[in-house]
Structures are given as structure tokens and as C-alpha cells.
Amino acid sequence: AFVNGKGRQQKTDEKRDMRSICACGSDKRYFECCYPHHAGTTYPETPIELLRARYSAFVNGVAEFIIKSTDPGADDFVADPKSEEFVDWLKSIQQFCGMYEFEGMRVIKSGELVNGAQEITFRVDLLEKGDNVGFTERALFVRGKDKEWKYRDGKLLEFDVVED
């Protein structure tokens, strides 16, 4: 079941429609689903919720949430928002958000919670100029020092994982 089976989610430069169905797949309106996470008034309580909120952030171009929800132990994490590296990181996320049509995301497998970490395998379907450039990823989510779940890293899988 794809997250947005009711239609394609596509990032635009126009103001997000808060009344539209959230891209995360909840069937709730964006303003009552992932928007509070993106705005910083709430935070996802589980790794699955965080994965879905991050996908919605990519669809909606909310690079700040992607950064906030990335674990400081991640290879590409940059702590100093005034540094050139941080600005480059932010720009690269914004560029990624703007260059694709987001077709959907589905969770394929959610591993067991072990020592404050959980692996989740998921599929994202993306179009670039009409070509499918989607990917399957096995991601690791960990609890940060603030007890919030964070994305640590992911490994792109070279094959399509079939659901069990």
C-alpha cells in the first residue's frame, strides 16, 4: 500500500495547502498530521512516525525538519548552522526536495526495537523528468540524548525488497 495511493504528491513553490491530505499516508489533513512536527510544536513518538514525517517533509520541502530529525552521529550531520558546510547541507536537501515528483512511500519491514534503535526498510517512488528513480532503503533510527527518535543512517538496497 503506497502512502499516497489517492494521487501523486508533488513539491511546488506555492504555499502548502494545510487542508490537503498529508503525504505521509495517514489520511489526515496535513495541518493535523505532520505539519505540527514540521512546525516544531510536536515531535514523532515512534520511528515509523518519524519516517513518515520525514517523507512528508521531503514532499513539502521542509528541510529544517529533515535536519532537526537527523542524529548528530550521522555521517552527513553538521552541527554549526553558521558554517558553510551546514548551508551546503541545507541547500542540498532543498534541491533534492525540488527536483523530484514524490509518488509514494511504503514501509516494507519494521525491525524489532533493540537497545534504543530500530531498522526500517522502506520504498520511495520518485519521478525525475518522468523517469522512475525510486529507491529502497534500510534505515536506522536511534533515540537521541533528548529521548527523541532520530534518523542515523540508511543503506540503499540494490534490489526491490518483496513484502513478506
Side-chain angles (χ1 to χ4, degrees), residues 6-157:
K6 295 180 181 175
R8 178 170 48 204
Q9 295 289 336
Q10 183 175 354
K11 160 88 172 66
T12 67
D13 292 330
E14 299 172 12
K15 185 177 177 182
R16 289 181 289 276
D17 182 357
M18 298 292 179
R19 296 167 299 186
S20 64
I21 298 299
C22 190
C24 80
S26 68
D27 289 331
K28 296 179 183 176
R29 295 183 190 275
Y30 177 62
F31 76 87
E32 62 188 4
C33 189
C34 287
Y35 175 74
H37 301 322
H38 298 165
T41 56
T42 62
Y43 197 82
E45 295 181 10
T46 68
I48 293 284
E49 286 179 20
L50 179 58
L51 171 65
R52 292 184 182 282
R54 285 175 60 90
Y55 175 76
S56 178
F58 278 111
V59 171
N60 289 296
V62 189
E64 297 81 3
F65 180 78
I66 300 301
I67 289 172
K68 178 184 181 205
S69 62
T70 300
D71 182 66
D75 289 340
D76 59 351
F77 186 83
V78 180
D80 181 6
K82 295 178 183 171
S83 71
E84 188 175 321
E85 292 84 8
F86 184 90
V87 172
D88 289 346
W89 184 28
L90 180 65
K91 286 180 182 176
S92 72
I93 295 169
Q94 291 168 333
Q95 182 181 16
F96 181 88
C97 294
M99 70 188 307
Y100 298 106
E101 293 177 34
F102 292 80
E103 294 286 303
M105 188 270 302
R106 65 179 171 178
V107 173
I108 296 170
K109 184 177 181 182
S110 179
E112 291 187 30
L113 182 63
V114 178
N115 297 326
Q118 185 172 13
E119 279 190 348
I120 302 172
T121 303
F122 62 97
R123 171 84 188 160
V124 172
D125 283 324
L126 301 172
L127 292 180
E128 181 179 29
K129 298 178 184 172
D131 293 328
N132 185 351
V133 293
F135 59 89
T136 300
E137 179 178 340
R138 182 176 299 123
L140 179 65
F141 293 84
V142 297
R143 279 210 190 264
K145 291 181 181 178
D146 56 7
K147 303 294 182 203
E148 292 179 342
W149 286 101
K150 306 285 184 181
Y151 172 87
R152 167 70 60 86
D153 62 28
K155 178 181 179 185
L156 294 180
L157 304 177

